[in-house]
Amino acid sequence: MPSITLNKTVFERLVGKELPLEELKDRISMLGTDLEDIKGNDIHVEVFPNRPDMLSEQGFARAFSSFIGVKTGLRKYTVKESNQKVIIDPSVKVIRPYTACAIIKGLNFDEENLRQVIQIQEKLHVTYGRNRKKAAIGIYPMEKITFPITYKADLPQKIKFKPLEAHQEMSAAEILEEHKAGKEYAHLLQGLPKYPLFVDAKGEVLSMPPVINSDKTGRVTEETTDVFVECSGFDFEVLNTCLNMIVTALADMGGEIYSLRLEYQEGTKTTPNLTPSKMRLDLPYLNKRLGLSLSEKEAAKLLEKMGYGSEQGQVLVPAYRADILHQVDLIEDIAIAYGYENFQEEIPNVATIGEEDAFEKFSKKVRELLIGMQLLEVKNFHLTMKEDLTTKMNLSIAPIPLKNAIGDHNHLRNAIFPSLMKNLADNQHHEYPQNIFEIGRIFVPGDTETGVLEAEHLSVVLCHDKTDFTEIRQVLEVLIRALGLECAVKESEHPPFISGRAGDITINGKKIGVIGEFHPQVIINWQMVMPAVGFELNLGELCKLAWKN
Amino acid sequence: MDLEKLILKLHPFERAVLPVLQEEKDFHKIVKKSKLQEIEVMRALQWLENKELLTMTSTTKKVVSLDKNGLLYLKEGLPEKSFLNSLSDEFKGLNVITKKSKLSREEVNACIGLLRKKGAIEVAKGEHLQIKITEAGKKILEEKSPEELFLEKDFPLELSSLQGTDKAVFEELKKRKEFLKLEEVKETTVTLTELGKKVASMDLTEEVTNRLTTGMLKKGDWKQTKFRAYDVEINVPQKYPGKKHFENEAIEYIKSIWLEMGFKEMTGNYVQSAFWDLDALFVPQDHPAREMQDTFYLHGKAKLPELWKKVKEVHENGADTGSKGWHYQFSKEETEQILLRTHTTVLSAQTIANLKKENLPAKFFAIGKVFRNEALDWKHLFEFYQVEGIVIDPDANLKHLKGYLTQFYKKMGFSKVRMRPAHFPYTEPSLEVDVFHPVRKQWVELGGAGIFRPEVVKPLLGFDCPVLAWGQGMGRIISEYWNIADIRDINKNDLKQIREMKLWLK
């Protein structure tokens, strides 16, 4: 979850009210953000990913001020016409097709404001911009650039400019291979025939989105007062919303918003578009979902606390809100404004019948029976190491691998035996006998939706210096007979076991598992010196057979 | 205590040891005289001490005993004797002597030095070393040397008991290689108490029986038998039961809460498609949580149910759910990916997809493993349990959710529940659930909850209906109850830990 650090002084000035610390803490978390801590003048908060508009002092303060009732309702932002334009060349269509742009004038870029602007840009890049893939933002000093600006795509070999944080001009290839930001975002341009560029009227490169700005034209300094802002990406609506989050924050910082004409091949658009969108709110639906009986007026009042307006029965949604997809999103905001703490719990009188899963019920009985035989239950991970499942067990059946595991547990177990052997190997310093069992899931290739067949298995291993086939067979017999079934053991070869001391467990002629004395080599493979015997069977199958009976 | 009763309690070992104690105080001597094994005497003494018949004091003493070579020479004679024996009145070459004496070069050299000092040999220096025995040497051969006498002593010897010649010989022999060893040993001295003296002087030979046997019962001679009384108050050796893994105890407890509340259990596969795990829950395909590094993926493509087309439409434009959708191109490849389930909510999605209108209202729960692609450390596991419940009820609302949460957590032992706004992609409203911790006296975040979005419910169920949902991890409950600081210990499967772990008493 993205977190930001707010300057408490700036925040309080923007909110227009100072709250006692405890109340501030409480209100912040009841607004729907996770307050981490307040230390000195720093407020650390985590903002949920649905509210990227709150990732700035300005955005956060705007929402908060409204929530505590200082400045409620829809914020009005004036957009003046700049009479300037941005030309979008058709060459970007297959590269990075859209941009939304604006000009902000009258800003004061002192150190603190500059920090805040950089924070907004960074946070939006990471969250709403999905690491610049969905939206990338560029901010340029007006004094260094000449309108009209062109957004176009050019062949990489034709691109050359001095990027930020570089000492000389670099080619596009050099930027992507050597420059820090270039290397970080190179994958976003990988394989494209042309790279996108913002170029001004004099032919100066402004930036190569979504990677880096030019040092000459793309660096805001303390002398800067007016800036050109652009967002580039793949969905015009997304970019416009992203732009709105920035321009409203800059306006709250004291700037004036100017619009730009965007000349697309298919027609002209003007941004930023801060016209609130309209959404219908169904009052009965609202009351039903929340269990309240709010009047239209009360609902409107609560919406105002969350920064909304209303017009002829429609809710006006601020143009910087990216998370309002459905009226349930408005309903949640109404609930927040109403206060989650004010909802009275109600225990509905709804009769339903509780029911445990049939297999779970069965496995509990099996577990109890085995515990009655003084066996100890263990529980291992389903992810394990290939070596444990194969070479250590004298087996060569390939288990199912994971594609991207970062740890060394990167295969799905295809039997429980290896887990139990590992437990015994790890417990050699404890008292014997060590008679253990596990009920758990195993994974083998199969004809299912995912190509993986999951089965519930039971595995029992007895380990002490006098154990033998008879003892493990006795445990098996007790279990099978307790289920009202009868099993047979048919001699078979199974590599983990000693030849001639292993067999298949069958019920009504159907194989459900294996039983045997572990091969000395297997015991040695686990660096053990104690004999072990065991059986493993498909408990899911056994459950079906038992119920059928 | 009644003397007679006390005597009846005496174990055969105690009976054998007690009379010896009248004469002996030293542990080793007691062992010798009682004709019992050391461990048996030790146990008898401890029991008797418990009965206040004796007191034991331990002191550490320095004790001399024979080392490797000392033991060898005791058997085969001292090397200097062997050396002298291999000499004669004529000068003989060293090689011949060495061979005859069967001594090592090192021993020979030591003997020459020693015997010359005693004037027992005469050495002629020529081209080769020549040696013959002297009269003094012959005299030495006739009688036992002080060293030999020392060797024949009853070891181990207490260092402080050595005096005079013995002390001098000891100092001399100590210098020899691996001849003597000096050890610190614990000596136990036993002293009878007044009561002990009284009991020891009594007749303890009377026959008492230790064990009731089948034979006695059959023959009826138990009637004449005097049974030894046990000391029922002493500790007995530990015994280990068969036992459930403690994690399952916690699971069964939580399960019983759900069942009491009328919920039906959901189970399902660990390996799922991205479709069921994420897309059916309206998690946008570019959501940060879906990135490679958080989720375990498997090779291959999943087969999709027909439903996927409907879900695709909802993602892209909301379809008939009244939503705008996420505004992007839904990718089939993305939804076909195979993964290890990241939450049990996947089971809720599948359950809802199988419900019909006439089944409502319905309540379900799941307790199951979920997976996160994380390296194992003290607070991260790559697989862990999640608990989750849903209520599908056309009349459900947020107040009911709070009601269910209150009821659920009351059964878990938390009397107060608080809801805080939160965000999950598939619920709206979404909330964080805090409970008031009765011991720590503060609010603790325990789980998440919400009402499923229409974008989730409508495609799965066929119509919009409030679905209340809440869930939480199990790690916190387990580690708190059993004081487990390193959560890897939950699945360490240390048998001692499982054997001795306290039961779940809630």
Side-chain angles (χ1 to χ4, degrees), chain A residues 273-504:
Chain A
N273 180 2
L274 285 165
T275 318
S277 58
K278 290 177 183 169
M279 188 175 265
R280 213 181 66 80
L281 178 63
D282 179 353
L283 198 64
Y285 183 76
L286 155 73
N287 281 324
K288 191 165 180 295
R289 210 164 162 95
L290 297 185
L292 300 175
S293 43
L294 299 173
S295 67
E296 200 164 325
K297 219 172 152 188
E298 286 167 321
K301 194 114 192 132
L302 292 171
L303 281 166
E304 274 178 26
K305 270 181 85 174
M306 300 304 284
Y308 297 92
S310 52
E311 189 182 286
Q312 294 158 356
Q314 300 253 56
V315 178
L316 298 177
V317 181
Y320 52 80
R321 286 293 293 264
D323 61 321
I324 309 301
L325 307 181
H326 191 280
Q327 60 168 327
V328 289
D329 296 303
L330 300 176
I331 293 171
E332 179 181 65
D333 271 358
I334 290 171
I336 292 172
Y338 184 83
Y340 277 24
E341 67 275 30
N342 297 322
F343 283 88
Q344 291 307 308
E345 69 231 40
E346 211 171 85
I347 297 173
N349 198 5
V350 179
T352 51
I353 309 295
E355 193 182 319
E356 195 174 3
D357 174 72
F359 174 78
E360 291 292 316
K361 223 188 276 186
F362 175 77
S363 72
K364 209 191 276 178
K365 289 185 191 301
V366 170
R367 182 180 295 133
E368 274 163 19
L369 189 81
L370 295 170
I371 290 167
M373 286 192 272
Q374 294 208 7
L375 296 173
L376 210 52
E377 186 184 28
V378 292
K379 289 195 83 177
N380 289 284
F381 292 131
H382 299 83
L383 303 186
T384 179
M385 287 174 246
K386 188 179 179 182
E387 181 201 14
D388 288 1
L389 299 170
T390 54
T391 46
K392 281 195 177 172
M393 298 303 291
N394 274 1
L395 285 169
S396 54
I397 309 157
I400 298 169
L402 296 173
K403 213 155 92 177
N404 64 326
I406 55 169
D408 51 7
H409 290 65
N410 49 18
H411 283 77
L412 290 168
R413 68 174 179 188
N414 55 11
I416 299 179
F417 269 152
S419 305
L420 299 191
M421 292 306 280
K422 183 175 189 318
N423 296 149
L424 294 173
D426 289 345
N427 277 284
Q428 295 182 70
H429 54 298
H430 290 320
E431 269 175 70
Y432 287 89
Q434 295 183 356
N435 299 337
I436 58 176
F437 75 99
E438 177 167 355
I439 294 171
R441 214 170 279 195
I442 62 107
F443 307 80
V444 290
D447 185 22
T448 65
E449 268 188 22
T450 57
V452 177
L453 189 72
E454 298 179 27
E456 295 283 352
H457 271 207
L458 160 69
S459 179
V460 178
V461 173
L462 311 178
C463 181
H464 55 92
D465 58 2
K466 290 198 179 63
T467 194
D468 59 13
F469 187 84
T470 306
E471 193 189 9
I472 189 66
R473 175 90 196 250
Q474 284 170 328
V475 174
L476 175 70
E477 296 284 345
V478 168
L479 170 67
I480 302 293
R481 266 189 243 121
L483 301 173
L485 296 167
E486 264 179 55
C487 72
V489 173
K490 296 254 176 295
E491 192 183 329
S492 72
E493 287 295 319
H494 193 54
F497 296 133
I498 298 173
S499 182
R501 296 187 181 185
D504 292 343

Side-chain angles (χ1 to χ4, degrees), chain A residues 130 285 288-289 291 325-326 329 332 352 355 357 377 379-380 382 403-404 406 427 433 441 449 454, chain B residues 243 245 248 262 265 268 270-271 286 295 297 303 321 324 373 383 385 394 428 430 452-453 493 495:
Chain A
R130 301 284 191 260
Y285 183 76
K288 191 165 180 295
R289 210 164 162 95
L325 307 181
H326 191 280
D329 296 303
E332 179 181 65
T352 51
E355 193 182 319
D357 174 72
E377 186 184 28
K379 289 195 83 177
N380 289 284
H382 299 83
K403 213 155 92 177
N404 64 326
I406 55 169
N427 277 284
R441 214 170 279 195
E449 268 188 22
E454 298 179 27
Chain B
K243 221 171 171 194
H245 190 282
N248 278 345
E265 188 168 14
Y270 293 172
V271 180
D286 64 354
T295 307
Y297 287 96
K303 284 177 219 151
T321 62
K324 292 180 183 172
N373 196 0
E383 52 174 280
Y385 275 96
E428 197 79 11
S430 299
F452 276 167
R453 298 186 68 100
N493 294 308
L495 298 186

Side-chain angles (χ1 to χ4, degrees), chain B residues 57-87:
Chain B
T57 47
S58 293
T59 48
T60 49
K61 283 180 186 167
K62 283 196 172 165
V63 165
V64 183
S65 56
L66 295 177
D67 204 350
K68 217 171 72 192
N69 287 335
L71 288 166
L72 184 79
Y73 300 147
L74 178 64
K75 220 169 84 193
E76 299 183 351
L78 286 168
E80 56 264 38
K81 279 276 164 102
S82 311
F83 189 83
L84 276 179
N85 270 325
S86 60
L87 299 180

Side-chain angles (χ1 to χ4, degrees), chain A residues 140 159 161 171-173 175-176 182 189 195-198 205-214:
Chain A
Y140 312 84
I159 301 171
F161 65 98
S171 69
I175 293 173
L176 299 188
L189 294 179
Y195 295 167
L197 284 180
F198 279 94
V205 172
L206 267 55
S207 70
M208 182 170 79
V211 182
I212 190 94
N213 278 13
S214 153

Side-chain angles (χ1 to χ4, degrees), chain A residues 65-97:
Chain A
S65 171
S66 193
F67 181 60
I68 63 168
V70 179
K71 285 181 234 168
T72 61
L74 191 72
R75 288 282 176 102
K76 295 249 176 342
Y77 290 96
T78 315
V79 181
K80 294 179 189 163
E81 273 191 40
S82 71
N83 292 318
Q84 300 286 7
K85 65 179 180 181
V86 176
I87 302 151
I88 291 92
D89 189 86
S91 58
V92 293
K93 249 182 201 167
V94 291
I95 305 292
R96 193 172 175 89

